[in-house]
Amino acid sequence: MRWSITEDDVRSIAVGAGVLGTGGGGDPYLGELQLIELIRQGRTVEVISVDDLSDDEQGCGVSGMGAPTIGIEKLPAGDEMWQAIKGVQDHLHTRFSFIVVGEVGGGNALEPLIAAAYGGVPVVDADPMGRAFPELQMDTFMIGGVNPSPFAISDAHGNTAVLHVNDANTAERYGRALTIAMGGATSLALPVITGREVKEHGIHGTLSLCHRIGQAVRSTMKEKGDVVAAVSSVVPTQTLFTGKIIDVDRKTTGGFARGYAVLAGIGDFSDSELRIDIQNEYLVAWRDDKPIATVPDLICVLDAESGLPVGTESLRYGLRLHVLGIPASRKLKTPRALSVVGPRAFGYDIDFFPLSGELPEEKIG
Amino acid sequence: MRIGIDVGGTNTDAVVMRGKDVVAATKTPTTKDVLSGILQALKDVLTDCNPSEITGVMLGTTHFANALVERRRLAKTAVIRLGFPYGEALPPFVDFPPGLADVIKGPTFLLPGGHEFDGRPITPFDEKKVRAAAREIAAAEIRTAVVSAPFSPVNDEMERQTADILMTECPGIRVTTSAEIGSVGLLERENAAILNACLLPLAEDIVDALRSALDAVGLTCPFYLTQNDGTLMNADYARRFPVLTISSGPTNSMRGASYLSGLKNAVVIDIGGTTADVGVLVNGFPRPASRTTEISGVRTNFRMPDVYCLGLGGGSLVHQSPSGTTTIGPTSVGYRITEQALVFGGDILTMTDIVVAGGFADVGDKERLSLGKEEANRVLAVADRMLEESVDRMKPSREDLPAIVVGGGSIIIRDLLKGISEVVRPSHFSVANAIGAAIAQVGGEIDRIFSLEGVSREAVLQEAKEQAVLRAIEAGADPQTVEIVELQEVPLAYLPSKASRIRVKAIGELKGAAS
């Protein structure tokens, strides 16, 4: 079944993407504005279900790469996301019949939809993260063995580089180096993928899940209701903590904003402290020095007052927050996946322990 | 001596201060034209003072906020944005409310230029194209313009070049460059610059009108407007940056509370007739809100004070359900309290009636109340819980803080609340906002992205601090008194090149206005 995206859907996806961004992935605001403008101009964006794909049709993933702070200065030109896809397409002398979301968390949730508005190709309701991750090999397509080559990186000036690499880690390294050379924010078309591969390795239904979370949060905010309960009505959610930030520390090492925030408990959580470790996204939550949630499970932070998701860059002393845990997709919890996205892959000497529940993979409709 | 004036929604307050002492104070109703209310307040406080002894008048005004809300006297504004092709998808005014855009949106241009985060040009500056755009603006008879460019907070050279061309091609045009006004985030910075530019002709009129008003009462001293962050701008600066004054009221009130109480770290509870505003002072200044600020529905990156507002004031309606639960507010009788509250002969039960019934204040006619002390205390306990929750929301840490209690409705607070170590009720608390204006200092702020490549972090921080101090001195601060009051460093995420966004604020006493 096909889902034609409306202006209201865009607003919901933007809020949902903030929740699934687990603190990173950039602010979806500019993408939201751009997509709404495109829809107002009469362009259409269609989302199809994974079931609608035939095994042998070919599509491509797309996302933005680089620093969100640069993206808010160098605003989008328009079709740069589509230009990257077109770069690979032209290189292969083929035509893709779908676009797949590269990362459903944060600003990257909207980029494939923007590309679709220009390319006239539907977006498939799936992604390889179900959240945000800092590096491109942290992706169920890559983990599942989908070939990252060839991939393309474009800037807004019409420059496109198509690269062939040996593996996803190399793609990440070269991609990031090119992104710096191109001014710090680029579009990345990766991977070229078949319908069968999306079905097998993708996390199904994440775009519509993102939409449902956003819808629930938005309608609850309007009624000044309980946003945590709204999120729980869509995905299995565990309230990890409610508290107030009493300490924040951040520094950059190797391109990552690393650091932590310490929260003092409020209400049911008083006399307790929570530390959330940050590496662009929220990685591990420690309650009174014991880990209570860790990557790849989602640690989502909501402003206790507005209900809106809070990014790592907005953390500050005194902010009152709800910290939620959402179980990651089972495809991120296989031993092979955990070697790439588990706590040890981020340098922690702890093993992954899953939060209860399962990320629903429902179909659109 | 200094005069401080703060124009509020209901009252215009003025004080005369000699050093630390309040010599005269007044409260007069705010008038629709704002100016005559200011004039009345000035006349009131000057009855016992010699105007020649006044060294400065510090004014917090709502003129510009009102103009934006009413969408009156706003200038049509052109925008030249550099950085093409970046930004083509999101042209200037893209997220303005349609009603406001209809009034102020002039021609817009997206031209080559702008810088990357590391300071190199995105594309070269194209003088010909800028000149052609300027001629179009002149032909359209547009008299105000904004210039914006990517990363102009890192390098504003191209914005300045564009402004120079505009001024040559369009004689008499008023230009706001985005780097002068906002921080990182092109769209929000450009939006703020547009709001500023559309107020420029009005700002000139108002500054002139204020000057004449001061002259008319014999005041020949300089005057200053208070800014959103509680610092001052002189009249020349106010002509160029009116938008920076748009929400100085809450800041003035909190700064005044800090000054009167001598406390630099405290909760400030300002209770009026309809609402209680709870804010936090950190090192003597209101803590800024972390979220983006909307002004008249336009997203900007101004940092406004973080204030939590709850519907609890002296005029709040008290409702008791048959089942025994009590609710207070958010509806209030407002300024009609002197007719509608029970103690004043009305027939509505308000918080003021409750305070009187509890024996904590003696206003109006107590005999008109039928409820007893016990019942009054029950309602007051509900108000306490509401205040305690707001205080807890705002407090920066678990430690109890003193609360500075100001405003006409503050009789609601009788004693200590949970989370509060001490209740401080400064004298002259009812004109704390005017006092906040009178004692305002001069500040300088920078918010930029700095490359840490090949330089030590310490050297970069030092450079940032020096720039902020220099800006404060340029704005009129006495160099001897300037100090750094805020320093924030946020590394750029997702890039393996070393760069940080650094925000520094320096503040000092106004030069020559110590007495």
Side-chain angles (χ1 to χ4, degrees), chain B residues 24 61 99 102 119 124 136 181 233 263 267 309 314 322 406 416 429 474 503 507:
Chain B
T61 182
D102 290 346
E136 265 188 64
I181 214 126
M233 55 163 80
L263 294 169
V267 177
C309 183
V406 297
L416 281 189
F429 66 80
E474 279 171 3
R503 187 145 63 190
I507 298 247

Side-chain angles (χ1 to χ4, degrees), chain B residues 319-364:
Chain B
H319 181 74
Q320 286 174 296
S321 77
S323 62
T325 54
T326 302
T327 50
I328 305 172
T331 320
S332 165
V333 294
Y335 67 90
R336 293 216 291 272
I337 185 155
T338 49
E339 308 154 25
Q340 296 189 339
L342 295 177
V343 286
F344 296 120
D347 51 9
I348 296 174
L349 179 63
T350 68
M351 275 312 286
T352 298
D353 298 315
I354 298 291
V355 174
V356 172
F360 299 103
D362 189 14
V363 292

Side-chain angles (χ1 to χ4, degrees), chain A residues 24-25 27 29-30 33-34 37 66-70 72-78 133-134 155-157 176 179-184 244-246 250-252 254-257 264 266 271 273 280-281 303 305-306 313-314 316-320, chain B residues 81 84-90 94-95 115-117 120 122-123 149-153 183-189 287-291 299 306 308 389 392-398 449 488-497 499-501:
Chain A
D27 184 352
Y29 178 71
L30 295 176
L33 268 186
Q34 188 187 355
E37 284 296 300
T69 316
I70 289 171
I72 61 172
E73 276 295 322
K74 298 202 299 178
L75 304 180
F133 274 126
D155 64 17
H157 299 283
R176 202 133 323 241
T179 294
I180 292 177
M182 285 174 151
K244 196 156 54 174
I245 299 184
I246 55 169
R250 266 181 300 229
K251 51 183 160 294
T252 298
F256 295 112
I266 296 171
D271 303 319
E273 277 191 0
N280 294 2
E281 285 91 27
D303 184 313
E305 198 180 315
S306 71
E313 293 181 315
S314 310
R316 65 151 174 79
Y317 202 71
L319 219 55
R320 286 167 63 107
Chain B
R81 187 202 283 169
F84 177 87
Y86 293 100
E88 232 184 336
L90 298 173
V94 66
D95 58 350
H115 289 88
E116 304 281 6
F117 72 99
R120 65 196 152 105
I122 295 173
T123 45
F151 287 108
S152 63
S183 55
V184 177
L186 175 66
L187 198 62
E188 289 87 352
R189 184 171 72 243
R287 179 180 65 198
S290 63
R291 268 167 269 133
R299 183 167 154 131
D306 194 3
Y308 185 77
E389 206 207 294
D392 192 46
R393 270 175 193 281
M394 296 300 294
K395 260 194 330 173
S397 76
R398 268 180 297 186
I449 293 172
Q488 204 184 2
E489 183 191 356
V490 183
L492 292 198
Y494 298 95
L495 267 192
S497 82
S500 258
R501 176 178 174 177

Side-chain angles (χ1 to χ4, degrees), chain A residues 42-111:
Chain A
R43 294 193 190 246
T44 54
V45 180
E46 285 200 318
V47 177
I48 55 173
S49 162
V50 175
D51 298 340
D52 298 328
L53 295 178
S54 66
D55 279 358
D56 53 356
E57 64 181 308
Q58 203 173 37
C60 188
V62 74
S63 54
M65 194 172 204
T69 316
I70 289 171
I72 61 172
E73 276 295 322
K74 298 202 299 178
L75 304 180
D79 66 350
E80 52 265 75
M81 291 294 150
W82 175 245
Q83 283 308 323
I85 297 174
K86 202 167 163 290
V88 195
Q89 199 176 248
D90 292 350
H91 179 75
L92 293 174
H93 305 289
T94 183
R95 288 184 73 83
F96 298 134
S97 61
F98 65 88
I99 293 170
V100 64
V101 181
E103 174 181 43
V104 81
N108 275 330
L110 295 168
E111 301 301 352

Side-chain angles (χ1 to χ4, degrees), chain A residues 288-339:
Chain A
D288 301 322
D289 297 324
K290 276 198 288 292
I292 56 167
T294 162
V295 274
D297 281 341
L298 286 70
I299 298 168
C300 305
V301 173
L302 303 180
D303 184 313
E305 198 180 315
S306 71
L308 286 172
V310 179
T312 58
E313 293 181 315
S314 310
L315 294 177
R316 65 151 174 79
Y317 202 71
L319 219 55
R320 286 167 63 107
L321 306 169
H322 293 301
V323 183
L324 309 183
I326 299 176
S329 156
R330 61 188 164 81
K331 286 177 180 161
L332 288 169
K333 295 189 276 199
T334 65
R336 191 178 148 84
L338 287 173
S339 72

